């Protein structure tokens, strides 16, 4: 009887955790272009795990030009949780394979010990965590979560190679935007840095998921993702 009761309590706790998550599972496919020329296809998906954590996975495959010739294959994953209403990363990994280049990066976030271990190439660094820390891949999910919650400030603690950095986005206004998946009313959020500017356009009609993501390098190179298809739930 005690085992049955414990199992029921675990199921109830898991159901409650799912109910408190502001973002529903989804699978979104995007076209990826570089300076207007086709580069590949990117799939972003979010799904729940059995332990009340969630996995955000982004996969890009080269389909044209040098990216196809080189066999570009990039996978980035974040295991996250919502804790006290804020997104936090539990684990992170990055893999990039191409003809002449292979890169690996990973991190484990030990919330009990209050420490993150970041492995990046030959670098192996440990440093203290602070509440609400996310990895840089999970930033998009943190933005979605805050848009759903109606937040007006977009400030985050992000685990980088050797330390936690403060990362902020500014609101660059609303507009209409047409992408292959359709025409949307969007909210624009932007992050400016010395070497690049990252801009994302989110649509409330699809749960504040991004319909376009763009990164502009200082020298002018532009990588753009545009929504092709979306499956939610």
């Amino acid at each position: 009887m005690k085992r049955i009761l414990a199992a029921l309590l675990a199921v109830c706790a898991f159901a409650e955790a799912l109910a408190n998550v502001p973002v529903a599972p989804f699978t979104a496919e995007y076209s990826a272009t570089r300076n207007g020329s086709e580069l590949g296809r990117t799939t972003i998906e979010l799904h729940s795990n059995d332990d009340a954590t969630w996995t955000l996975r982004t996969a890009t495959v080269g389909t044209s030009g040098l990216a196809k010739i080189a066999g570009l294959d990039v996978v980035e994953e974040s295991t996250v949780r919502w804790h006290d209403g804020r997104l936090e990363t539990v684990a992170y990994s990055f893999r990039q394979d191409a003809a002449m280049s292979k890169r690996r990066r990973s991190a484990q976030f030990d919330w009990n010990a209050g420490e993150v271990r970041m492995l990046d190439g030959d670098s192996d660094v440990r440093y203290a965590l602070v509440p609400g820390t996310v990895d840089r891949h999970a930033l998009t999910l943190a933005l979605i979560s805050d848009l759903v919650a109606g937040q007006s400030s977009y400030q985050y603690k992000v685990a980088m190679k050797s330390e936690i950095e403060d990362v902020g986005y500014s609101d660059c206004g609303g507009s209409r935007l047409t992408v292959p998946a359709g025409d949307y009313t969007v909210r624009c959020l932007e992050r400016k840095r010395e070497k690049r500017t990252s801009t994302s356009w989110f649509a409330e009609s699809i749960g504040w998921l991004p319909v376009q993501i763009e990164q502009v390098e200082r020298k002018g190179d532009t990588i753009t993702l545009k929504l092709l298809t979306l499956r939610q739930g």
Side-chain angles (χ1 to χ4, degrees), residues 101-122:
S101 174
K102 295 183 183 295
R103 295 179 59 194
R104 299 290 186 271
R105 187 186 306 122
S106 64
Q108 291 296 322
F109 293 67
D110 187 338
W111 287 100
N112 291 326
E115 180 183 75
V116 59
R117 182 184 184 188
M118 184 71 68
L119 303 174
D120 191 344
D122 295 330

Side-chain angles (χ1 to χ4, degrees), residues 62 134 171:
V134 297
D171 192 326

Side-chain angles (χ1 to χ4, degrees), residues 73-123:
D73 182 10
V74 183
V75 176
E76 198 164 16
E77 285 192 354
S78 302
T79 301
V80 300
R81 67 180 187 180
W82 273 267
H83 181 69
D84 293 336
R86 296 293 295 177
L87 189 71
E88 292 179 336
T89 297
V90 177
Y92 165 78
S93 66
F94 171 86
R95 171 182 62 79
Q96 177 181 298
D97 291 322
M100 302 297 290
S101 174
K102 295 183 183 295
R103 295 179 59 194
R104 299 290 186 271
R105 187 186 306 122
S106 64
Q108 291 296 322
F109 293 67
D110 187 338
W111 287 100
N112 291 326
E115 180 183 75
V116 59
R117 182 184 184 188
M118 184 71 68
L119 303 174
D120 191 344
D122 295 330
S123 175

Side-chain angles (χ1 to χ4, degrees), residues 63-75:
T63 59
S64 184
L66 291 176
K68 181 178 181 180
I69 294 172
L72 180 66
D73 182 10
V74 183
V75 176

Side-chain angles (χ1 to χ4, degrees), residues 17-94:
L18 291 181
N20 291 329
V21 171
V23 186
F26 68 87
T27 300
E29 184 182 17
Y30 297 80
S31 64
T33 61
R34 181 186 181 91
N35 300 329
S37 298
E38 183 179 342
L39 176 68
R41 289 286 185 272
T42 295
T43 301
I44 303 176
E45 57 183 333
L46 176 71
H47 65 263
S48 62
N49 303 315
D50 292 337
D51 58 357
T53 65
W54 292 68
T55 296
L56 178 70
R57 185 178 191 270
T58 300
T60 298
V61 177
T63 59
S64 184
L66 291 176
K68 181 178 181 180
I69 294 172
L72 180 66
D73 182 10
V74 183
V75 176
E76 198 164 16
E77 285 192 354
S78 302
T79 301
V80 300
R81 67 180 187 180
W82 273 267
H83 181 69
D84 293 336
R86 296 293 295 177
L87 189 71
E88 292 179 336
T89 297
V90 177
Y92 165 78
S93 66
F94 171 86

